[in-house]
Amino acid sequence: NIGYIRSLRSTPVNRFSIGIQSFRQPDLDYMKRAHNAQQAEAAIKGAQDVGFDKLSIDLIYGVPGMTDNHWKENLDKVRETQIPHFSAYALTVEERTALHHAIAHNKAVPVDAAQAAGQFGILMDMARTMGYEHYEISNLALPGQYAIHNTNYWRGLPYLGIGPSAHSFD
């Protein structure tokens, strides 16, 4: 909601992180995400239009059906949208989730570790050519765009997390 995003600009919030996961609808369908690919792109554009310059997105690789070319297209979209920071995670299937149940009952294709490993290699190669620094196993940023809270984790500094599933440390 653009009105909500705009209202955040008048608060101390200065970093906006969006759980895109993939710009491809089949990937989002497989992962049973609540948003669609068009909403993912609209969320980025909305945050940028409102003026969030500390913008980060999350992507997931190793999704069954996601070819290496599909993964490269996701990374190309990072470049096109000029995202300064992003996180990329291999799809993991947690027990007691709908996806775990679907895989266990042969209603969904299981994750292929070799595919995920290959796509991690693509991530490292493309990120480097796109000018991103791979500063943590899952976090990549343009120079000077590291997430302060991520680097503070490693320094043992206190932080406040706000929102669903947020974590704080003091």
Side-chain angles (χ1 to χ4, degrees), residues 6-34:
R6 190 173 287 116
S7 71
L8 290 174
R9 290 301 296 151
S10 63
T11 71
V13 172
N14 67 354
R15 183 173 184 268
F16 207 80
S17 181
I18 305 170
I20 300 296
Q21 316 317 348
S22 179
F23 291 101
R24 293 186 62 248
Q25 193 58 48
D27 301 334
L28 297 173
D29 292 342
Y30 175 85
M31 294 183 281
K32 303 203 182 320
R33 297 297 174 172

Side-chain angles (χ1 to χ4, degrees), residues 18-162:
I18 305 170
I20 300 296
Q21 316 317 348
S22 179
F23 291 101
R24 293 186 62 248
Q25 193 58 48
D27 301 334
L28 297 173
D29 292 342
Y30 175 85
M31 294 183 281
K32 303 203 182 320
R33 297 297 174 172
H35 69 280
N36 64 42
Q38 292 77 25
Q39 290 169 322
E41 290 192 51
I44 292 169
K45 183 173 182 347
Q48 289 172 326
D49 288 351
V50 167
F52 279 98
D53 57 349
K54 294 184 185 302
L55 186 62
S56 182
I57 66 169
D58 294 343
L59 295 175
I60 296 178
Y61 56 89
V63 178
M66 176 190 282
T67 67
D68 290 350
N69 282 336
H70 293 145
W71 177 231
K72 290 174 185 176
E73 290 168 7
N74 270 318
L75 296 173
D76 283 337
K77 190 66 78 168
V78 171
R79 178 186 1 226
E80 289 169 23
T81 54
Q82 301 178 332
I83 300 296
H85 182 282
F86 72 102
S87 300
Y89 306 98
L91 177 62
T92 56
V93 180
E94 300 294 335
E95 289 188 30
R96 298 188 311 267
T97 62
L99 183 54
H100 182 267
H101 184 267
I103 291 170
H105 291 86
N106 296 317
K107 295 181 180 177
V109 178
V111 174
D112 179 338
Q115 172 197 358
Q119 290 177 351
F120 183 75
I122 291 168
L123 168 68
M124 291 189 302
D125 291 343
M126 282 188 69
R128 189 174 24 260
T129 63
M130 292 172 15
Y132 287 85
E133 297 172 356
H134 203 159
Y135 74 100
E136 287 182 344
I137 192 75
S138 299
N139 289 290
L140 305 99
L142 294 173
Q145 297 296 318
Y146 290 18
I148 294 169
H149 77 280
N150 287 11
T151 53
N152 283 348
Y153 291 157
W154 305 112
R155 294 180 182 142
L157 298 175
Y159 56 88
L160 175 65
I162 300 172

